[in-house]
Amino acid sequence: MRRGGARDAEATGGRGGTDGSEAPGPRRSGPGPWIPGPRTPGAQDPGPGRTDTGTGAIVAQILLGLVCAGYATGAALGWGSEELALFMGDFGLSAAALAACVSCLLHARVRGNRFRPAWLLFSFSSGMAAAGNAVWGWYEVVLRREVPSPSLADVFFLLFAPPAIVGLLVLAKKPVTRAGWVCLALDAWLIGGSLLTLSWSLALAHTAHFQDESVTRAALSLAYPLLDIVLVSMVLALHFRRSQVNRSATNTAIAALALTVLCDALFTSPLLRENYTSGQLLDAGWFAGSLLLAYAPWGACRGPDPGPPAARGQRSPSRPVAGSLAALTPYLAAAVCMLGILYNVVEGRSVDRVVVMTSCTVVLALVVRQGIMLLDNIALTHELAQKENHFRSLVQGSSDVIMIAAPTGILRYVSPAASGVYGREAGELIGEELASLIHPDDLGGVVHEVRRFLAASPAEEPTTRIECRFRSGRGDWLNVESTVNRHQGGLIFNSRDVTERVRLQAQLQHNAEHDSLTDLPNRALFTRRVRGALAGRRSSDPGTAVLFIDLDGFKGVNDRLGHQAGDELLVQAARRLQDSVRAGDTAARLGGDEFAALILGDGTRDQAAREAQVREIADRLRLTLSQPYRLDHGNEVRVAASIGVAFAEPGIGAGDLLRNADLAMYRAKAGGKDRVELYAPQMQADVVRRTERATRLRAALHEGEFALLHQPVVDLSTGRVTAIAAQARWRSAQGILFTPAEFLRVTDPVDSGEGELTAELGRRLLEEAVEQAAERAGLGYLTPVSIRLSARGLLDRSLPLDSVESLLTRHGLPSGSLMIEIVDNDPRTSFDELEQRLVALRRLGVRIGLDGFGSGYAAIHALRRLPVDVLRLDKGLVEGVVESARLRKITSGLLRIARDLGLQSVADGVDVPEQVAALRAMGCTHGQGLAFSGPLDEYRLRRALLRGAYPLPGATPLPVLSGGAAGLPGSRAAAGFHPPFRSNNETPVPPA
C-alpha cells in the first residue's frame, strides 16, 4: 500500500524530498500464505472445503511461486517501459489485492467456517488496499499527475490496518481468565511500545518535528508508521497465542502481514524512499502478500493440522522454542526500549520525551505483567500441589498396582499396592526389567501386543488391555490384567490381580462341559470332540467309532433303592468306563443312564479287522459294566449294558454319527438287551418307516378313523355271555383294517413304551367304551365291559386317578361294570406305583384283570404284588393246548393257581371246539375267541346280548334267554348247536 502525500517530480525519480516534507505511504496488500512444509501423513485440516494434499496443491504452489517470481523479475528489469512500470506498480497491486478480497470473501461464505468474521475482515482490508492502489493508479497512469496529499487513497490505505488488526484478534486463542486478557493487552503494549520507542528514536521524531507542514500532513506522517507498529505488535502477539484450529491458514496470514510490514518498514527508510518509483522491486513484496492471502484460505487448508505432538505420537522441536520466545517477549521489549534510549545517547541527542514516556509505560507494563504472572504462578503452584496430593492419595490408596516402565522396559515407578497384590514391596520392583516378571509362556504375546499398540495411532487406540501371568513374591504365578497407556515414550500399567476370576472362569467352563455327577464330559463337549475328530487329521480314518451305552435295569435300581443309590451306581459305572477307554479316547455321560465313548481310529485300512477290534472293545466294556456294583449299606446290584456302535464314513457329520450310534443302541435293546449292535443303514430306514406310520396314526386319531368293536366273553360251563372285551380297529385311508397288535408297532416299545399315541388311544378307548356301556345299561344290557390298558399308560400323568372316577360318574355307569386288564409289557414299570393305582381303582368298583398271564416271569411277579380279580391266559398257551402235552400241563398248572387264589380265568384266542373242551376240562371258567364270536359292532353286539348265550361244543344245547345273561331283559328263545365258525359271519371285519 502506498502512503499518501504529494510527490516530487516523477522525473527526478524521488518520492518526496530529503527533508521529509513529503511522507508518501507504501503500498499495502493483505496477509499472504507461506508454503507449508512436509505434513504428517494422513493429516487433514478440520476446516470445510478441504481437499486431500496431492498434485493439485503442488501445482498451485508452483504457479503462485512463478507468478510472484515473474512480477519480481519484471520489477527488477523496469518492465521495459515507464508506462508499463507505472501500470503494474499501481493497477497490478490493485488486482492482486482484489483477488485476495474475493478469495477471503468466498472462504468466509463456506458453511461451518469457525473464523468467518476474521476472513470477512481480511476481505474488507484487502478491498481497501485494492481501492487505494486503484486511486493511486488513476492519478499516475490515467491523469498522469502526482497524487495529492491528503487524498482519497489515504482514506483507503488508513482503513486497511484496523480490520486486519481486528481479524488477527479473532484468530488469536482467547484467554480463559481476566488475568489472561490483561496479560494479552500488556503483551501487545510491550511489543508496540518497544517498537514505537525504537521507531521514534530512529525516524519518527525527525518526521514529527517539521515546522512547515500542516496538522493533517503531520498526522498522516505519523498514522502510517503507528498503524504498522500496531500491526506488527498483533502479528507477534498472535504468533505466540494462535489458535490450534486451522493453524496452517493462520500461519499463512501471519506470514503475509509480516511481509507487508517488512515492505512498509523498508519504504520508510530514507535511502529507499528517495529513490522509489512505482513498479520497482519493493512492489513485488506487496504483490506477493496479496497473492498469498488469496491462496491462504484454500491452499493452506488442504489437509488438517497434524495436531499436537501427543496426538502424533512424536515430539515437535519447535514447541519448546516457541514457548521460550513467548516467555522472553517482555524482556525483549524492555531491551528494545533500552536500545532506543542508547541510540539517542550515542548520537548525542537529548532523550525525547516521547521515548521516555513510552519507555516508562513499557517498564510499568512489564512490572505489572510480571506481578500478575507471579500471582498466577503462586495460584497454579498451590493448585498443582493440591492435585498432586489428591492423585497421590488415589494412587497410593488404589487396590490396583500402577507401574511406569521406561522405553527400555525398566520399571521406574511402582505404587505401594504392589505389596498387597504381588507380595513384593514397591522398592524391590523399581529398577527391574518388566520382562523378567512375566511368565515365559506369556512374554511373547505381551511383547507383540505392546509393539502393536505403540505402532498404532493414539487417536484410534489410546489404551490397550493385556492379560498375563505375573511372578509374585510367594513364588507362584498370578493372573494379572493390565490397562496400558503411553507415557513419554514409555508405558503406564494399571494392573489388578484377576487370579480368582480366571479360576472361576475355568471352573465355570469345566462345569459347562462336564457332567456334575460323574465329572465326565457332557453331551456338548463330547459332540465337539467328535466334530474335531471328524474334521482333523483323522477325518479320512474310517476306524473312528462312537459307542452309545445304556444301562439296562437302572430304573429298577432307582425305584427299589432310591435315587441316591442310583447316583452311586452311575458314578461307579462312569469310573469303569473311564478306566476302560484308551488315553486318547473320550468317555462321556450324555444324561440319565446313557453314556458314550469316542474311539479314535489307529489308521487301519482293513475295515473288517477294525470292526472286529471295536466290537471286542465294546464287548469288553459291556462285560465290565455288567459286573456287580457294591453300593453303600452293603447292597449289591447288577445292571446290563446295551451298546450301539457306529463308524465314521467319508463326509459324515458329528450329528449323523451320534444318531447312527443311538439307533444301533436302541436296536440292541430291542433285540434283547445286554448286547452289542453295529449300525446298519436299514436301521435308519426302519426309523423313517415307523415315523411315517406314527404320523399317519396321529392323523387317524384326530380324524376319527378308529372304530370300537366288542368280542363276547363266554362262560365255558353255561355258554352265557358274562362280559364283553372292547377292541379298537383302525381303518386306514387305503381301507385296510389294523388290529392293535399291528398299529401299535409303529412306536418303539423300548424307546417310549407305547408312546404318546398309545396313551392317547387308550384314553379315547376308555372314554368311548364307558360311554357305550352306559348307553347299553340304559337299555337294560348290564354286561360288564373290559378294556386293555398298558401298565405304563395307566400310570401316565395325562390319565389322573380322578379322571376315571369322573368318567364313571359323568356317564352313570354302575359299579362293577368296568374291568381294566393290565398289559404288562414294559420291564421299566414301577410295581409300587402300579399297585397303588390299582388299589385306588378297586375302591371305585373297577375290577382288575391281568392280561397275558403265563407269558413270562413278570406275570408271576405281578400276580404276587398286584390286586387282581381275573387272569387272562396268554394266547400262545391256548393255541397249543390241544396238540402239546407240555403246554397242557403248563396251562393246567396256571389254571390251578388261579383256582386256588379264587380268581376267574379267561382263555384268549379260543378259536376251535377242541380248545373249548380241553380248557373246560382243565377248569378254565371263561373263554373268548372265534369259537363263539368275532369282534362285533354295536348293532350285532346288542343282538348277541339279546340272545344271551352261545352253544358249547359237546354239550346239550341250552335254551337261549332273550334277556341274556345276568338278568338281561327279554324273552327266551331256543337255539341249537351251531358250527364253531358260524359266528364269524356276524363280524364286519376280518378276525384278529
mmCIF file of all heavy atoms in Angstrom, residues 472-485:
data_model
loop_
_atom_site.group_PDB
_atom_site.id
_atom_site.type_symbol
_atom_site.label_atom_id
_atom_site.label_comp_id
_atom_site.label_asym_id
_atom_site.label_seq_id
_atom_site.Cartn_x
_atom_site.Cartn_y
_atom_site.Cartn_z
ATOM 1 N N SER A 472 4.853 -63.558 41.613
ATOM 2 C CA SER A 472 4.630 -62.891 42.895
ATOM 3 C C SER A 472 5.802 -63.165 43.836
ATOM 4 O O SER A 472 6.673 -63.992 43.559
ATOM 5 C CB SER A 472 3.319 -63.380 43.532
ATOM 6 O OG SER A 472 3.465 -64.728 43.969
ATOM 7 N N GLY A 473 5.803 -62.476 44.980
ATOM 8 C CA GLY A 473 6.850 -62.684 45.962
ATOM 9 C C GLY A 473 6.731 -64.012 46.678
ATOM 10 O O GLY A 473 7.664 -64.431 47.373
ATOM 11 N N ARG A 474 5.595 -64.695 46.513
ATOM 12 C CA ARG A 474 5.401 -66.004 47.155
ATOM 13 C C ARG A 474 5.865 -67.150 46.281
ATOM 14 O O ARG A 474 5.707 -68.317 46.646
ATOM 15 C CB ARG A 474 3.920 -66.178 47.500
ATOM 16 C CG ARG A 474 3.422 -65.152 48.513
ATOM 17 C CD ARG A 474 1.925 -65.285 48.752
ATOM 18 N NE ARG A 474 1.159 -64.906 47.573
ATOM 19 C CZ ARG A 474 0.771 -63.675 47.305
ATOM 20 N NH1 ARG A 474 1.103 -62.686 48.132
ATOM 21 N NH2 ARG A 474 0.078 -63.396 46.228
ATOM 22 N N GLY A 475 6.375 -66.837 45.098
ATOM 23 C CA GLY A 475 6.903 -67.869 44.212
ATOM 24 C C GLY A 475 5.898 -68.436 43.241
ATOM 25 O O GLY A 475 6.262 -69.241 42.379
ATOM 26 N N ASP A 476 4.607 -68.068 43.349
ATOM 27 C CA ASP A 476 3.603 -68.578 42.420
ATOM 28 C C ASP A 476 3.339 -67.540 41.345
ATOM 29 O O ASP A 476 3.909 -66.446 41.346
ATOM 30 C CB ASP A 476 2.314 -68.928 43.172
ATOM 31 C CG ASP A 476 1.785 -67.721 43.926
ATOM 32 O OD1 ASP A 476 2.543 -66.761 44.101
ATOM 33 O OD2 ASP A 476 0.614 -67.740 44.333
ATOM 34 N N TRP A 477 2.483 -67.896 40.426
ATOM 35 C CA TRP A 477 2.168 -67.025 39.290
ATOM 36 C C TRP A 477 0.746 -66.517 39.456
ATOM 37 O O TRP A 477 -0.186 -67.286 39.667
ATOM 38 C CB TRP A 477 2.309 -67.761 37.962
ATOM 39 C CG TRP A 477 3.722 -68.173 37.667
ATOM 40 C CD1 TRP A 477 4.275 -69.374 37.902
ATOM 41 C CD2 TRP A 477 4.738 -67.351 37.100
ATOM 42 N NE1 TRP A 477 5.590 -69.377 37.532
ATOM 43 C CE2 TRP A 477 5.909 -68.142 37.012
ATOM 44 C CE3 TRP A 477 4.792 -66.034 36.649
ATOM 45 C CZ2 TRP A 477 7.101 -67.659 36.495
ATOM 46 C CZ3 TRP A 477 5.978 -65.547 36.131
ATOM 47 C CH2 TRP A 477 7.117 -66.353 36.063
ATOM 48 N N LEU A 478 0.588 -65.220 39.353
ATOM 49 C CA LEU A 478 -0.716 -64.586 39.464
ATOM 50 C C LEU A 478 -1.211 -64.199 38.072
ATOM 51 O O LEU A 478 -0.424 -63.764 37.218
ATOM 52 C CB LEU A 478 -0.640 -63.329 40.338
ATOM 53 C CG LEU A 478 -0.129 -63.515 41.771
ATOM 54 C CD1 LEU A 478 -0.047 -62.150 42.453
ATOM 55 C CD2 LEU A 478 -1.027 -64.450 42.549
ATOM 56 N N ASN A 479 -2.489 -64.336 37.849
ATOM 57 C CA ASN A 479 -3.097 -63.845 36.614
ATOM 58 C C ASN A 479 -3.396 -62.363 36.788
ATOM 59 O O ASN A 479 -4.160 -61.965 37.671
ATOM 60 C CB ASN A 479 -4.385 -64.606 36.309
ATOM 61 C CG ASN A 479 -4.122 -66.051 35.944
ATOM 62 O OD1 ASN A 479 -4.133 -66.929 36.800
ATOM 63 N ND2 ASN A 479 -3.882 -66.308 34.676
ATOM 64 N N VAL A 480 -2.757 -61.547 35.975
ATOM 65 C CA VAL A 480 -2.836 -60.093 36.109
ATOM 66 C C VAL A 480 -3.420 -59.513 34.827
ATOM 67 O O VAL A 480 -3.008 -59.884 33.720
ATOM 68 C CB VAL A 480 -1.442 -59.486 36.387
ATOM 69 C CG1 VAL A 480 -1.517 -57.967 36.416
ATOM 70 C CG2 VAL A 480 -0.897 -60.013 37.699
ATOM 71 N N GLU A 481 -4.367 -58.601 34.998
ATOM 72 C CA GLU A 481 -4.934 -57.861 33.875
ATOM 73 C C GLU A 481 -4.483 -56.413 33.984
ATOM 74 O O GLU A 481 -4.641 -55.786 35.032
ATOM 75 C CB GLU A 481 -6.458 -57.950 33.896
ATOM 76 C CG GLU A 481 -7.124 -57.219 32.740
ATOM 77 C CD GLU A 481 -8.635 -57.215 32.877
ATOM 78 O OE1 GLU A 481 -9.129 -56.573 33.829
ATOM 79 O OE2 GLU A 481 -9.303 -57.854 32.074
ATOM 80 N N SER A 482 -3.925 -55.883 32.884
ATOM 81 C CA SER A 482 -3.346 -54.536 32.914
ATOM 82 C C SER A 482 -3.952 -53.688 31.811
ATOM 83 O O SER A 482 -4.100 -54.152 30.675
ATOM 84 C CB SER A 482 -1.820 -54.589 32.745
ATOM 85 O OG SER A 482 -1.227 -55.378 33.757
ATOM 86 N N THR A 483 -4.289 -52.440 32.173
ATOM 87 C CA THR A 483 -4.656 -51.426 31.184
ATOM 88 C C THR A 483 -3.416 -50.587 30.901
ATOM 89 O O THR A 483 -2.811 -50.033 31.821
ATOM 90 C CB THR A 483 -5.791 -50.544 31.714
ATOM 91 O OG1 THR A 483 -6.915 -51.377 32.022
ATOM 92 C CG2 THR A 483 -6.194 -49.517 30.670
ATOM 93 N N VAL A 484 -3.008 -50.496 29.643
ATOM 94 C CA VAL A 484 -1.726 -49.906 29.259
ATOM 95 C C VAL A 484 -1.991 -48.575 28.550
ATOM 96 O O VAL A 484 -2.836 -48.488 27.653
ATOM 97 C CB VAL A 484 -0.932 -50.861 28.341
ATOM 98 C CG1 VAL A 484 0.446 -50.274 28.042
ATOM 99 C CG2 VAL A 484 -0.796 -52.226 29.007
ATOM 100 N N ASN A 485 -1.249 -47.536 28.966
ATOM 101 C CA ASN A 485 -1.300 -46.213 28.341
ATOM 102 C C ASN A 485 0.127 -45.798 27.970
ATOM 103 O O ASN A 485 1.106 -46.264 28.567
ATOM 104 C CB ASN A 485 -1.905 -45.179 29.288
ATOM 105 C CG ASN A 485 -3.362 -45.456 29.587
ATOM 106 O OD1 ASN A 485 -4.244 -44.990 28.891
ATOM 107 N ND2 ASN A 485 -3.609 -46.236 30.632
#
